[in-house]
Amino acid sequence: MGKTIIISNRLPVQLQIHKGSITAVPSVGGLATGMKSVHSGGDSLWIGWSGLTEEEIPQELESDIDKALQQHDCAKVKLSSEEVDGFYFGFSNRTIWPLFHYFLEYSEFTLDNWTTYQEVNQKFADTILEKAGAEDTIWIHDYQLMLVPQMVKKQRPNTSIGFFLHIPFPSYEIFRTLPWREEVLQGLLGSDLIGFHTYDYERHFLSSVRRLLDLEVSFNDIYLDNRVIKVDSFPMGIDYKKFSEAAKEHAKRTAAQQSELQRRLNTHKESTPDAKFLLSIDRLDYSKGIAKRLNAFEYFLNKYPQYKEKVRLIILAVPSRSNVPQYQLLKKEIDELVGRINGELATVSWTPIWYFYRSMPFENLIDLYTSCDIAWLTPIRDGMNLVAKEYVATRTDKTGVLILSEMAGSANEMNESLLINPNNFEQIADTLYEAINMPIQEQKERNEQLQKRLERYNVEKWANDFMTSLERQKHLDAANISRRLTENLITSVVSDYTKAKKRLLFLDYDGTLAGFHTDPQKASPDVALYQLLDRIKAQKNTDLYLISGRDKDTFKRWFMKKEYNMIVEHGVWISKKGGEFDLLEKVKNDWMEKIRPVLESFVDRTPGSFVEEKNYSLAWHYRNTDPDFGNKRATELTTVLTSLIANDNLSVLSGNKVLEIKNSGVNKGRAAMRVLVEDDYDFVFAMGDDWTDEFMFQELPETAITVKVGRQKTQAKYYVENTKRVRELLERFK
Ligand code: GDG
C-alpha cells in the first residue's frame, strides 16, 4: 500500500531560525489538526511552502531545514520572494480569494501574476512527482493550488488524486469573469475526486464545468475523455475533543492557574454580573464582515439603548495578508470605526468594544470562547467558518448563543443557531436582543443538538470520509477501465470478426459514427465515413445496418445511393440495399396533433431548443440551450408529457440532449431482433451512444459484442471514449 501525500500552500509546521539553529513547531490551524489522522505514523508526507522565501534561508541552513521538516514528515517547495508575491499575494489573494468570495470589484486580473501562479503550481507538481511513488494517493488542498491536479495527472495518469477547496466556489455568473476560467477548471479536473464544504459550492462548480467546458455531467460525475471525476460535498468538522476537553480543563483551574486574560474577564463579570459578553473572532479579512458588524453593533445600541453598559463586544481580529492593499485599508477602517464608536458611546465604567488586533495563544482562545455569552459571527461570505463550531464545542455546560451569518458554509449544518443575513441590520439588532434574552433552557436545547452533530462529524471523520470516497473512486474507475475496449480486447474482437462466417453490424449514427452538430441537418457524413462504410459493406457475408432515430428523408438523402441497409426513426422504417423504406412496425401517429403544441410551447420558453418532426415521432432538441436551463426544462417537459401520454401507448425517450416521444413498442432493440432472426449470424456487433441504443444492448443475445460510446452507465459490454475511437476500431474490420 502506498502512502498519502498531502499538499497545501503552507506546511503544518512553522519554522523558527534562532541563532543559526532551526526548530519546526507544529501549527494549530484547522487544516493541520484536521489532517492529523491522515498525516501520522510515517505513512504520509506533507508537501508545502515553508513560509520562508529562498532569500530568507541561508544556504548553509538548507539541509538542516530539510531535516527538521523531515522529522515532521514534511518536505518543502522552495519559493523566491518574487514567486511568493505573484503566486500567493498576487493571484491567490488578489484574484481568486476576492472573486470566489463575491468581491468582484477587488479582483485583479494581472497576466504576470497568472503566469507566476502557473509556474509555482508547476513547482508544487514537480515536487510531488519527485517525492510520490506510483502507489501513493495524493490530496491537494485549496485555491492556491488549483492547477496542480492536472499537472500531476498528466505525468501519472494512474495516480489517485483528490482536491479539496476550503473557500466557496462562486456561481457561474461570477466565475465566468475570470480570464483564465477554463484553465482553472481543467486544472481541477486532473483530480479523481473534488470536494467542497457545501452542496451549493458543488453545484456552482458543476454548472461552470457544464457551461464553460461543455462536458457531460451526470448527477455529480463528470465525464472527461476516459475518466470519471466525482464531485461531492464534505463539510469540514473540528477536533471536537480538543476544544471540549480544553474547556473542561479551564473550568477546573484555580485563580492562580488562570491566564491574565481570564482573570480580567472574571473581574469584569463580577463587577457587572448581568452584563453580557459578545465575541467575534476572525482573520482580519473583508470577507468576514468585521466593519459591518461594528456598524450593526452601533445600530443595535441605538435601537435598544437599554443595553448600553450591559453588553461588551470583544473583537479579536487576527492579522492577515497585511501587504495586500485591501487588507491595509480594511485595518484602517476597523481601527477608525472602533475608535469612533467607543469615543461616542463609552462611559466612565464602560467601553463598548474591546478590540484585539493580534493572534492569541490557544489557551486565550479557549478563555474567550468559554467566557463569552454570545458568539457573533457575521461573515459576508465564508467557505465554512470553524470558529462557529469551536465556540459551540467549548460550551461544556451547554449555555451560550451562537449568532451566525447565513453566508457561512457552516450555517448549513448549524440550524439551531440564530441565523442572520449580515446585511440586514434590523434583523441583526433584533437577533442580538433575542440572544441576550434567550432562556437558559432554550440555549441548552439548541447547543445539545449542535454539539451532538459536531462531535459525530468531527474533523477526523471529514478527512476519513474524503479518503474513503477517493479510494472508492479509484476502484470504480478500475472497474470501469476493465470494460474499456483495450488493445487486447480489440485484437480479439477483430479476430472473431475475421473468423466469422456471417456477420451482422448495427451502427448508430449521431454521437457514434459522427459527432454532434448544433444543427442536426448539417451533421452530414464526411468522405472518410463513406469510404469506411463502403469498405465494410463490400465485404462478403457482412450485413451492415445504420440504425438511427433520424427521420427517413434525411437518411434517404445521405445514404440511399450508397445502398446501405438502414433502420430509422428508432425502428419504424427499414430499407435494404438501396430499396424503398418499408414500415417495420405498424404504428399510429394521430397522437402527434395533441403533443406538438406542448413541445412548441417549450420551444417558445426555451431559447435554442427546437422540435423535429418525424413520421412517427416528435423530438424536442435542447443541445443548443443553456445547459442548466435546458436540463431543467427537459425534466419539466418529461413530467408534463408523462401525464399527457399515460393512456396512449407512447413513451418519452431521453436521448443525448433530446427528448423523443414515440410509440411504446417501437425501439432499436426490437428492430435489431427482427433483423437478427433473418439469418444465422455468428458475429453480432452493435454500437451506440445514448439511451435509445440501450434497447439494442439489452435485447441482443449475450454473445453479441455491444459497445457504448462514452463512459456513462450502460448495458453494453464495452465502451470506447469517442467517435474518433469508433472509426479507428471499424477501420480494423477487414
Ligand atoms: C479557511 C476558510 C474554512 C483564529 N484566531 C486565532 C486562532 N484562530 C483559528 C480558529 C480557527 C481558524 O483559526 C480559523 O478558521 P476559519 O474557518 O474561521 O477561517 P479561515 O482561516 O478563513 O479558513 C474558511 C477554513 O478554511 C477551513 O476549511 O472554514 O471558510 O476561509 O480554527 O480557532 N487560533 C489561535 N489564535 C488565534 O488568535 N490559536
Side-chain angles (χ1 to χ4, degrees), residues 713-730:
K713 227 172 132 211
T714 181
Q715 302 277 339
K717 274 190 195 147
Y718 307 110
Y719 80 88
V720 292
E721 291 86 352
N722 47 40
T723 52
K724 187 168 165 266
R725 303 265 295 128
V726 169
R727 294 209 191 176
E728 283 166 7
L729 172 65
L730 293 177

Side-chain angles (χ1 to χ4, degrees), residues 206-219:
L206 289 173
S207 158
S208 284
V209 165
R210 229 182 273 130
R211 290 166 178 221
L212 294 168
L213 302 184
D214 198 22
L215 288 180
E216 179 75 33
V217 177
S218 162
F219 297 105

Side-chain angles (χ1 to χ4, degrees), residues 126-335:
D126 291 344
T127 314
I128 298 170
L129 292 166
E130 181 197 316
K131 309 266 180 200
E135 294 291 302
D136 294 347
T137 300
I138 293 176
W139 188 358
I140 302 162
H141 289 267
D142 229 359
Y143 65 104
Q144 301 91 349
L145 303 175
M146 292 189 287
L147 307 179
V148 178
Q150 190 194 29
M151 290 167 170
V152 177
K153 194 56 132 192
K154 221 159 119 188
Q155 303 296 327
R156 299 266 179 89
N158 297 327
T159 293
S160 191
I161 304 176
F163 181 93
F164 190 84
L165 188 73
H166 289 262
I167 65 174
F169 194 92
S171 91
Y172 163 73
E173 286 301 336
I174 297 283
F175 183 71
R176 73 197 293 207
T177 61
L178 180 69
W180 307 281
R181 58 205 187 175
E182 284 87 1
E183 288 90 331
V184 166
L185 291 179
Q186 272 150 358
L188 289 167
L189 292 181
S191 321
D192 300 290
L193 172 67
I194 304 175
F196 297 95
H197 281 306
T198 73
Y199 171 69
D200 282 329
Y201 308 156
E202 174 190 333
R203 102 187 139 73
H204 291 156
F205 174 72
L206 289 173
S207 158
S208 284
V209 165
R210 229 182 273 130
R211 290 166 178 221
L212 294 168
L213 302 184
D214 198 22
L215 288 180
E216 179 75 33
V217 177
S218 162
F219 297 105
N220 53 347
D221 287 337
I222 301 170
Y223 296 86
L224 172 66
D225 299 328
N226 60 344
R227 302 196 300 119
V228 182
I229 297 138
K230 178 153 239 73
V231 181
D232 217 338
S233 58
F234 302 87
M236 187 173 177
I238 55 162
D239 187 344
Y240 186 87
K241 226 165 144 190
K242 178 175 145 192
F243 284 90
S244 69
E245 277 174 9
K248 279 182 205 149
E249 190 269 320
H250 274 227
K252 286 189 208 137
R253 285 185 182 181
T254 60
Q257 289 169 322
Q258 283 171 346
S259 68
E260 176 62 22
L261 175 68
Q262 184 67 66
R263 282 201 291 268
R264 295 218 163 203
L265 289 166
N266 291 348
T267 310
H268 279 277
K269 283 194 160 213
E270 280 152 20
S271 64
T272 46
D274 55 342
K276 300 276 183 190
F277 278 112
L278 309 184
L279 174 67
S280 97
I281 296 183
D282 323 79
R283 265 185 317 97
L284 191 119
D285 194 296
Y286 45 80
S287 66
K288 305 284 183 183
I290 305 173
K292 266 214 169 116
R293 201 174 312 155
L294 288 166
N295 283 316
F297 186 55
E298 186 183 24
Y299 190 89
F300 162 76
L301 289 173
N302 287 328
K303 184 167 181 185
Y304 296 104
Q306 65 270 38
Y307 290 108
K308 285 183 184 167
E309 303 206 333
K310 294 272 187 292
V311 287
R312 262 191 197 97
L313 173 60
I314 303 179
I315 291 222
L316 172 59
V318 181
S320 175
R321 304 169 196 171
S322 40
N323 46 352
V324 176
Q326 268 95 27
Y327 290 75
Q328 292 158 359
L329 282 174
L330 181 68
K331 161 87 173 47
K332 194 161 166 276
E333 187 189 356
I334 292 171
D335 287 353

Side-chain angles (χ1 to χ4, degrees), residues 28-31 33 97 101 142-143 164-168 197 201 236-238 243 281-283 285 287-288 316-319 321 358-365 368-369 377 381-388 390 408-410 462:
V28 287
L31 184 58
T33 29
W97 179 273
H101 286 86
D142 229 359
Y143 65 104
F164 190 84
L165 188 73
H166 289 262
I167 65 174
H197 281 306
Y201 308 156
M236 187 173 177
I238 55 162
F243 284 90
I281 296 183
D282 323 79
R283 265 185 317 97
D285 194 296
S287 66
K288 305 284 183 183
L316 172 59
V318 181
R321 304 169 196 171
R358 71 186 80 140
S359 169
M360 287 198 179
F362 179 73
E363 292 294 285
N364 290 153
L365 201 67
L368 289 175
Y369 284 153
L377 306 167
R381 234 9 110 164
D382 208 340
M384 175 50 76
N385 195 304
L386 300 177
V387 172
E390 292 167 4
S410 47
W462 167 78

Side-chain angles (χ1 to χ4, degrees), residues 605-621:
R605 296 190 298 129
T606 321
S609 71
F610 62 92
V611 175
E612 184 188 3
E613 186 154 349
K614 306 178 189 178
N615 290 295
Y616 290 94
S617 69
L618 285 171
W620 179 71
H621 291 267

Side-chain angles (χ1 to χ4, degrees), residues 580-698:
E580 268 313 309
F581 273 104
D582 290 325
L583 269 179
L584 195 58
E585 295 279 350
K586 278 208 177 58
V587 284
K588 290 185 180 169
N589 60 3
D590 50 353
W591 53 269
M592 287 167 132
E593 289 308 310
K594 187 169 89 180
I595 301 296
R596 192 182 302 106
V598 178
L599 299 188
E600 278 161 2
S601 82
F602 271 74
V603 169
D604 291 341
R605 296 190 298 129
T606 321
S609 71
F610 62 92
V611 175
E612 184 188 3
E613 186 154 349
K614 306 178 189 178
N615 290 295
Y616 290 94
S617 69
L618 285 171
W620 179 71
H621 291 267
Y622 60 100
R623 174 161 303 278
N624 305 330
T625 64
D626 170 281
D628 273 350
F629 187 57
N631 285 338
K632 219 170 121 207
R633 278 276 189 264
T635 314
E636 192 185 332
L637 180 56
T638 312
T639 317
V640 171
L641 290 172
T642 314
S643 62
L644 268 179
I645 62 175
N647 304 318
D648 288 330
N649 202 22
L650 297 173
S651 51
V652 183
L653 277 190
S654 166
N656 199 332
K657 302 284 178 197
V658 57
L659 286 184
E660 186 146 1
I661 303 93
K662 51 181 266 312
N663 289 275
S664 289
V666 181
N667 61 49
K668 286 183 179 179
R670 215 170 127 112
M673 290 308 284
R674 292 239 195 159
V675 174
L676 183 77
V677 294
E678 287 176 359
D679 210 330
D680 202 6
Y681 296 105
D682 57 350
F683 180 92
V684 179
F685 181 90
M687 254 186 166
D689 73 308
D690 72 15
W691 268 105
T692 63
D693 302 300
E694 292 296 319
F695 289 103
M696 250 190 332
F697 302 150
Q698 261 166 37

